[in-house]
Amino acid sequence: MARAGLTTERLTRAGAELADEVGFDQVTVSALARRFDVKVASLYSHVKNSQDLRTRIALLALEELADRAADALAGRAGKDALAAFANVYRDYAREHPGRYAAARLRLDPQTAAASAGVRHAQMTRAILRGYDLTEPDQTHAVRLLGSVFHGYVSLELGGGFSHSAPDSGESWTRIIDALDALLRSWPAP
């Protein structure tokens, strides 16, 4: 019998909060049971195992991030859209480091295809249409943006830019400017 008040959604959200507090790699069904002061077995009617819990947290993070990005992109185009999109990722990672890590979890193809990850790709491609990129350049640009955003955010979260001036926010702005310039002058193959 399911414990009163415990639902899959509540456990997923609590797992996401736990990920932000202690790191996504530390999220397990056992850790979540301790948080609710219940036996591990009482959670198995809501989540199958730790991998199922981690997948649910990843799906939640992808959804939250996609919703934020969609809101930020509304009515924007070109460099303004690129900067808004990039800032959503950076801000989300800084506010929710565990959830951001969860959004990077490798999902099986069927789960990935049904996730908000598809919306992320669609939004990125919509931004790139403003730069008149066609395939395969558009795919190369999607990969470039993802790599730059994730790489910068990961280094920043790890304290990689905290040891010297200028402030990492200034570098971030210059990187967005450089990406915009690169996309505007993307070389033909």
Side-chain angles (χ1 to χ4, degrees):
M1 174 178 224
R3 184 176 169 99
L6 292 182
T7 64
T8 302
E9 182 180 347
R10 184 170 179 216
L11 292 173
T12 301
R13 291 200 174 277
E17 291 169 10
L18 184 62
D20 287 337
E21 293 166 15
V22 300
F24 183 59
D25 291 340
Q26 302 302 312
V27 175
T28 63
V29 173
S30 297
L32 199 55
R34 284 191 297 275
R35 175 164 271 212
F36 283 98
D37 195 28
V38 298
K39 294 192 183 304
V40 172
S42 66
L43 301 186
Y44 287 130
S45 60
H46 305 288
V47 294
K48 295 176 194 171
N49 51 40
S50 290
Q51 185 58 37
D52 179 45
L53 174 62
R54 291 166 54 81
T55 298
R56 291 175 186 281
I57 295 167
L59 294 172
L60 172 67
L62 287 168
E63 189 72 34
E64 288 176 343
L65 199 46
D67 289 347
R68 283 188 182 196
D71 288 346
L73 288 173
R76 297 177 192 244
K79 182 181 173 187
D80 191 34
L82 177 65
F85 193 66
N87 288 331
V88 163
Y89 277 84
R90 183 173 181 235
D91 293 346
Y92 187 81
R94 293 166 87 182
E95 293 169 29
H96 300 291
R99 292 178 206 209
Y100 179 76
R104 299 285 169 253
L105 181 69
R106 185 180 190 128
L107 302 172
D108 67 77
Q110 185 176 354
T111 302
S115 77
V118 174
R119 288 176 55 205
H120 293 267
Q122 291 168 339
M123 286 184 277
T124 306
R125 288 181 184 278
I127 291 166
L128 292 172
R129 280 194 294 275
Y131 292 96
D132 295 322
L133 296 179
T134 58
E135 287 301 341
D137 289 333
Q138 195 176 85
T139 296
H140 296 312
V142 167
R143 292 172 180 168
L144 170 71
L145 294 179
S147 298
V148 171
F149 297 163
H150 179 64
Y152 193 91
V153 165
S154 295
L155 289 168
E156 187 176 43
L157 287 175
F161 304 134
S162 61
H163 306 304
S164 62
D167 177 72
S168 63
E170 184 178 331
S171 297
W172 179 253
T173 299
R174 296 197 60 177
I175 286 169
I176 302 305
D177 291 344
L179 286 171
D180 175 64
L182 174 65
L183 293 171
R184 289 184 189 287
S185 64
W186 191 272

